[in-house]
Amino acid sequence: MRPAWSILPDEWKDALSEKGLRPFRAAQILQSLYRDYIEKWDDATTLPKELRQQMQEEFPITKTELSDVAESADGVKKLLISFADGASVETVLIPATGRFTQCISTQVGCAMGCEFCASGASGLDRSLTADEIVSQYMFGRKFGQITNIVVMGMGEPFANYDETIRALKLINAGKGPNLGARHITISTCGVVPGFERLSQEGIQFELSVSLHAPNNELRSQIMPVNRRWPIEELLETCAAYTQKTKRAITFEYTLVKGFNDSLQCARELARRVKSVPMAKVNLIPLSPVSHRPDFKTPSQETMLAFLDVLMKNGVQTMLRRSRGSDASAACGQLRRRLIEG
Ligand code: SAH
């Protein structure tokens, strides 16, 4: 048994043959899955009834349930999606002019333990399978045409590399949903082995790296992953990735009041990221999380001064707006349930 949403379009003929089914059905199957977006094989009316039954047995369509929806005043929607075993994850829909971005999760919980992030506050339950990752997109698209995907929900994509990349390849596939690779952004906290693997895929996904501090002393305090792969090794890996793929990396830097928001931090950050060709920086105001009330968002003035230092040092930088926080849908606020507990 292989879930239908885990099979790449080019793999269908072989998958059918292996089960003694006729490979010429692949084209019809792909149309049912990715033109008609069926949710159960019974609805694949172009297939003979008997085949529909066999498809259900051999290649089931992943069953998910929408357990809850929360909507923030700025139009951001957060969906809680549950899987057959009762596990659930959140996915966020972010409308903007000319864009409809979906933020998807790769794991139930997270093992990385970043101090400022709610997703990891109670550890990792399990990783999602490729079809479960795809199923979030399948839910999201019912709310409007998704133009961009960011893999910035719960979990660390490079700690669930195979299933995540399979899901993204499927969503990207021409005979699948056909979402452009450049519209898909993977975000990692710096799991170094993932970079080399991604550079070998030959697909132009965008890559973001969560940096959040300009040196090991600060970074290790808030991101345990830094003790395994310190900042020098991470940045060297980023430089090698950029040289090999010719793709720019964006560094995410969440500003935490009194911790990493000084002008000295800004200068040090500028110097560091300039070791990576074409590097860009995204500054994110901290979204408050209930388990760390001591972490606060800096004032707008402080954030603009920080931005200014980076720009004067020639680093392409953006200061993000925080969205969705009144629905606990902002960066770092995603959990396994809508109601904390
Ligand atoms: N594990 C991946 C993807 C998930 S996090 C990663 O670490 O990149 C997506 C982004 O939200 C990361 O940059 C993360 O550091 C950031 N983030 C986490 N908690 C946050 C918070 N409380 N406020 C603002 N951004 C946060």
Side-chain angles (χ1 to χ4, degrees):
M1 192 193 85
R2 279 171 78 188
W5 288 338
S6 70
I7 299 171
L8 298 176
D10 288 343
E11 295 172 343
W12 267 108
K13 282 191 176 152
D14 286 346
L16 291 167
S17 302
E18 275 165 27
K19 298 293 173 195
L21 299 171
R22 318 269 303 267
F24 83 90
R25 294 287 182 189
Q28 273 170 312
I29 286 168
L30 284 170
Q31 288 196 347
S32 297
L33 288 172
Y34 305 119
R35 188 194 62 193
D36 305 338
Y37 287 98
I38 56 161
E39 290 174 16
K40 48 185 194 316
W41 284 112
D42 269 347
D43 294 340
T45 45
T46 54
L47 302 181
K49 213 160 182 179
E50 194 197 331
L51 179 57
R52 283 183 237 163
Q53 186 63 35
Q54 287 167 316
M55 294 302 288
Q56 176 54 37
E57 278 157 25
E58 302 291 356
F59 307 105
I61 296 179
T62 308
K63 259 206 155 68
T64 50
E65 225 170 86
L66 183 60
S67 304
D68 216 337
V69 183
E71 186 165 2
S72 71
D74 57 13
V76 172
K77 276 199 185 75
K78 183 169 73 166
L79 317 179
L80 181 71
I81 293 179
S82 307
F83 304 108
D85 68 346
S88 54
V89 295
E90 294 178 337
T91 178
V92 180
L93 297 165
I94 311 156
T97 326
R99 267 181 187 231
F100 191 44
T101 303
Q102 182 176 16
C103 175
I104 61 173
S105 296
T106 56
Q107 296 183 307
V108 183
C110 184
M112 307 316 291
C114 300
E115 289 291 334
F116 45 84
C117 180
S119 301
S122 42
L124 175 71
D125 267 9
R126 67 171 177 88
S127 285
L128 296 180
T129 52
D131 57 298
E132 289 172 330
I133 298 171
V134 170
S135 74
Q136 296 170 64
Y137 169 80
M138 294 301 177
F139 241 113
R141 59 174 296 287
K142 294 195 229 176
F143 290 78
Q145 196 192 341
I146 306 291
T147 62
N148 296 73
I149 284 185
V150 292
V151 187
M152 297 187 183
M154 265 192 279
E156 167 50 43
F158 282 175
N160 184 21
Y161 184 93
D162 291 324
E163 299 296 313
T164 299
I165 297 301
R166 171 163 284 271
L168 297 180
K169 281 182 177 170
L170 194 152
I171 293 170
N172 169 238
K175 282 181 252 154
N178 196 22
L179 186 72
R182 289 179 184 214
H183 293 240
I184 298 176
T185 303
I186 301 170
S187 180
T188 177
C189 65
V191 175
V192 159
F195 291 75
E196 173 65 17
R197 295 187 70 186
L198 186 63
S199 73
Q200 286 169 3
E201 301 285 352
I203 303 180
Q204 304 202 311
F205 295 131
E206 299 288 332
L207 183 59
S208 282
V209 174
S210 298
L211 203 58
H212 305 323
N215 55 52
N216 286 319
E217 198 205 324
L218 288 180
R219 196 164 189 267
S220 290
Q221 280 180 44
I222 52 168
M223 299 181 74
V225 68
N226 194 66
R227 293 177 216 143
R228 175 80 167 82
W229 292 290
I231 201 161
E232 295 82 8
E233 192 180 345
L234 174 58
L235 292 175
E236 276 167 27
T237 303
C238 291
Y241 176 89
T242 299
Q243 267 145 14
K244 181 162 175 193
T245 60
K246 309 280 180 271
R247 310 284 301 155
I249 287 178
T250 302
F251 291 97
E252 309 283 340
Y253 192 99
T254 295
L255 288 159
V256 185
K257 186 177 181 178
F259 177 74
N260 64 1
D261 63 347
S262 69
L263 297 184
Q264 199 196 325
C265 280
R267 284 189 287 271
E268 200 177 351
L269 177 63
R271 191 165 49 74
R272 286 280 193 183
V273 299
K274 281 163 81 172
S275 68
V276 180
M278 308 188 281
K280 294 185 229 171
V281 171
N282 261 345
L283 299 175
I284 314 169
L286 175 88
S287 321
V289 284
S290 58
H291 70 289
R292 286 301 298 259
D294 53 322
F295 282 170
K296 299 202 160 42
T297 317
S299 68
Q300 189 71 9
E301 201 185 349
T302 302
M303 295 195 290
L304 288 173
F306 196 98
L307 171 75
D308 200 48
V309 170
L310 285 164
M311 304 230 284
K312 287 210 168 102
N313 278 278
V315 180
Q316 196 184 324
T317 312
M318 294 249 285
L319 174 58
R320 293 267 162 195
R321 243 174 348 129
S322 177
R323 297 189 58 193
S325 60
D326 56 333
S328 287
C331 299
Q333 294 182 325
L334 302 191
R335 305 172 63 94
R336 279 171 277 184
R337 313 168 191 86
L338 283 183
I339 299 157
E340 296 191 3

